[in-house]
């Protein structure tokens, strides 16, 4: 067996001068995820020597006000970064006020970028991150293209790339139209579609675990696996995202992307090699096998819920039926997985925040055990803990010491935090994604095939959600029944 080669993402980051443009820099995402990740990369010396961050948004700021806003956003813990690093980082930032629907604003943005290039005496690379609600994507992308901002300086220098966030569209049709539009404006190698779950260290580890440990891969199929349960539970509620979330709901927010990304990594076939295209194409291939749930089976395959108090959240429409919780019984219809249920379960305002994947193996104890344990059947369960407390555990049976022949479950456990060289080495997901966007590696970004395949499965569910009862659950619930 050939050993997998490392992901291409170990490629060095570009050293060529690069400008990172954040459209919507005053928004929640830029503040919570992008800027802290950029500062982290900067403090680790992982950005090109010459780089600039240009913020673009509606509000007017003086230079000082803008620096203050970014400082607030960065929300640095005392001692987390050296003050000197923060100051230098802020020195790399500038701001351009503009309206997202105003062509003149984009011309001004283009001039600002040109001024930076002139100062550097070089044509820089440009990365555009759309930190805005998805309904603004189309307009912004068109304006960027019209103002020629997305064109490289020539064939050799100054590449341009665009980073866009999920949700990619609202259903299969809007996803296709966004895709057509992206395809008209950019080449595939310029488009980086972010599903930040793909960049979580413990998720990437699933591939390493599966494909470098033959003892598991040989039993990775319907012959030995009984079911898979993918859980993404959040303790937090809407946290001021009411207006955005109410139009989307949990299935679009988490189901179409993060949950199916996890399913793909668990179920996909071994790529022919560990290079970007092979990995992305196997992720997409398995999603294409997801069996669409017919309307008549929806009631037995899908549960939707809403936490009590949701209707009082700011931005939520009166009487809204938007789901904050779902459980979907999915099936992958290929020879390897036929008949194995994949439960996808996710919700907000639950008892605890945790993301994990339980793989239940079929039992083979028949005829061996004289009697079952007090707790009933004891299957082997392999759990990938994605966050927090990243790790892997395996539940297995041992004989209870003594004169009888009873068995009881015990656990083998690996935790990243127990390994001194691992515990501080886990890059934050956005740090990893930005680094890869700088180095041009698309492995951890969703391909158009993955997105279309996941919408094909999810669209019939969301179109018919309203035929299902909306189960109300208390904040902090441990289960929704
Ligand atoms: C986002 C969703 O994509 O992922 C949020 O829009 C969710 O609703 C978040 O809270 C969860 O991400 P993480 O990395 O905090 O688990």
């Amino acid at each position: 067996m050939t050993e997998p080669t490392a992901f291409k993402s170990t490629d060095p980051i570009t050293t060529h001068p690069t400008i990172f443009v954040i459209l919507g820099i005053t928004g929640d995402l830029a503040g919570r995820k992008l800027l802290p990740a950029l500062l982290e990369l900067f403090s680790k010396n992982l950005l090109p020597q010459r780089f600039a961050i240009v913020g673009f948004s509606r509000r007017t700021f003086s230079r000082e006000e803008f620096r203050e806003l970014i400082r607030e956003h960065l929300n640095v813990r005392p001692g987390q970064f050296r003050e000197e690093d923060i100051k230098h980082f802020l020195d790399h930032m500038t701001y351009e006020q503009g309206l997202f629907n105003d062509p003149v604003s984009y011309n001004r943005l283009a001039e600002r970028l040109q001024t930076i290039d002139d100062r550097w005496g070089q044509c820089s690379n440009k990365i555009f991150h759309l930190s805005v609600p998805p309904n603004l994507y189309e307009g912004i992308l068109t304006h960027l293209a019209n103002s020629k901002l997305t064109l490289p300086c020539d064939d050799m220098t100054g590449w341009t790339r665009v980073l866009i966030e999920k949700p990619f569209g609202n259903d299969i049709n809007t996803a296709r139209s966004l895709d057509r539009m992206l395809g008209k404006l950019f080449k595939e190698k310029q488009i980086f579609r972010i599903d930040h779950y793909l960049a979580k260290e413990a998720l990437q580890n699933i591939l390493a675990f599966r494909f470098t440990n033959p003892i598991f891969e040989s039993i990775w199929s319907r012959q030995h696996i009984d079911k898979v349960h993918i859980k993404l539970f959040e303790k937090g509620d809407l946290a001021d995202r009411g207006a955005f979330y109410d139009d989307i709901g949990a299935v679009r927010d988490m189901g179409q992307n993060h949950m199916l990304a996890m399913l793909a990594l668990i179920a996909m076939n071994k790529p022919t090699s560990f290079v970007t295209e092979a990995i992305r194409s196997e992720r997409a291939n398995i999603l294409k096998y997801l069996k669409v749930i017919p309307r008549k089976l929806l009631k037995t395959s899908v549960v939707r819920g809403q936490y009590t108090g949701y209707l009082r959240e700011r931005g939520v429409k009166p009487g809204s039926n938007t789901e904050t919780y779902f459980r979907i019984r999915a099936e992958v219809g290929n020879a390897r997985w036929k008949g194995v249920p994949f439960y996808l379960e996710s919700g907000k305002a639950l008892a605890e925040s945790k993301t994990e994947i339980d793989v239940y193996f079929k039992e083979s104890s028949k005829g061996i055990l004289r009697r079952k344990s007090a707790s009933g059947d004891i299957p082997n369960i392999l759990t990938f803990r994605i966050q927090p407390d990243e790790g892997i555990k395996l539940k297995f049976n041992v004989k209870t010491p003594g004169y009888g022949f009873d068995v009881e479950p015990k656990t083998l456990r690996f935790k990243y935090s127990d390994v001194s060289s691992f515990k501080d080495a886990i890059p934050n997901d956005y740090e990893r994604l930005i680094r890869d966007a700088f180095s041009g590696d698309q492995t951890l970004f969703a391909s158009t095939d993955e997105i279309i395949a996941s919408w094909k499965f999810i669209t019939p569910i969301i179109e018919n959600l309203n035929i299902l009862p909306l189960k109300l659950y208390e904040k902090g619930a441990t289960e929704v029944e």
Side-chain angles (χ1 to χ4, degrees), residues 115-362:
T115 316
I116 299 175
D117 278 6
D118 292 346
R119 195 172 72 227
W120 287 342
Q122 258 174 311
C123 165
S124 61
N125 299 324
K126 321 271 181 323
I127 303 181
F128 297 92
H129 183 278
L130 274 58
S131 291
V132 295
N135 60 342
L136 299 180
Y137 287 173
E138 200 163 327
I140 292 180
L141 291 169
T142 312
H143 287 303
L144 283 176
N146 289 347
S147 55
K148 305 205 171 17
L149 273 162
T150 51
L151 293 182
C153 304
D154 58 50
D155 286 349
M156 302 302 288
T157 45
W159 49 246
T160 60
R161 294 179 183 151
V162 58
L163 289 174
I164 55 169
E165 296 277 345
K166 43 104 346 205
F168 312 99
N170 236 351
D171 56 21
I172 181 100
N173 294 329
T174 47
R176 281 205 169 110
S177 102
L178 176 63
D179 206 50
R180 269 195 299 274
M181 151 151 222
L182 282 166
K184 268 193 227 144
L185 303 178
F186 308 100
K187 298 201 176 77
E188 184 60 25
K189 65 174 191 199
Q190 290 178 282
I191 310 169
F192 290 70
R193 302 176 189 83
I194 297 182
D195 173 340
H196 72 283
Y197 265 64
L198 286 172
K200 290 196 187 277
E201 184 70 30
L203 262 191
Q204 294 170 56
N205 184 48
I206 292 177
L207 294 194
F209 182 89
R210 285 187 51 201
F211 299 127
T212 63
N213 294 305
I215 51 168
F216 289 103
E217 196 51 18
S218 55
I219 52 170
W220 213 249
S221 66
R222 60 195 290 261
Q223 279 78 33
H224 301 282
I225 291 179
D226 189 36
K227 63 177 176 187
V228 177
H229 190 169
I230 303 177
K231 297 173 254 182
L232 199 172
F233 297 164
E234 293 186 294
K235 200 168 173 184
D237 51 28
L238 289 196
D240 266 352
R241 292 166 75 222
F244 164 78
Y245 191 88
D246 199 41
D247 284 338
I248 290 191
V251 179
R252 282 191 181 92
D253 189 41
M254 302 288 214
Q256 179 268 331
N257 34 74
H258 307 330
M259 301 299 280
L260 291 182
M262 291 194 265
L263 180 146
L265 294 171
I266 290 288
M268 69 189 249
N269 286 337
K270 187 175 176 181
T272 46
S273 69
F274 265 60
V275 296
T276 306
E277 274 328 306
I279 294 173
R280 296 210 314 172
S281 115
E282 287 304 344
R283 285 200 312 249
N285 283 344
I286 204 72
L287 295 175
K288 290 179 191 162
Y289 279 109
L290 279 166
K291 284 168 77 174
V292 168
I293 304 173
R295 195 168 190 270
K296 62 177 190 302
L297 290 186
L298 223 51
K299 283 200 174 132
T300 48
S301 305
V302 181
V303 174
R304 66 166 180 159
Q306 186 187 79
Y307 65 82
T308 49
Y310 174 78
L311 295 177
R312 291 193 297 277
E313 302 281 13
R314 195 143 55 93
V316 169
K317 289 181 219 50
S320 167
N321 277 329
T322 297
E323 80 289 353
T324 57
Y325 167 93
F326 64 86
R327 190 168 65 240
I328 299 173
R329 183 189 186 282
E331 262 192 56
V332 177
N334 65 355
R336 187 197 275 241
W337 294 112
K338 212 159 173 241
V340 178
F342 284 76
Y343 294 99
L344 312 172
E345 185 178 16
S346 177
K348 294 213 181 274
L350 295 174
E352 62 173 325
S353 288
K354 68 168 177 190
T355 304
E356 65 184 19
I357 305 172
D358 290 327
V359 180
Y360 289 77
F361 290 88
K362 289 185 172 161

Side-chain angles (χ1 to χ4, degrees), residues 194-196 199 429-437 444-445:
I194 297 182
D195 173 340
H196 72 283
D429 37 37
Y430 267 80
E431 208 182 305
R432 175 66 198 255
L433 288 170
I434 294 173
R435 186 197 178 282
D436 286 1
L444 304 179
F445 294 84

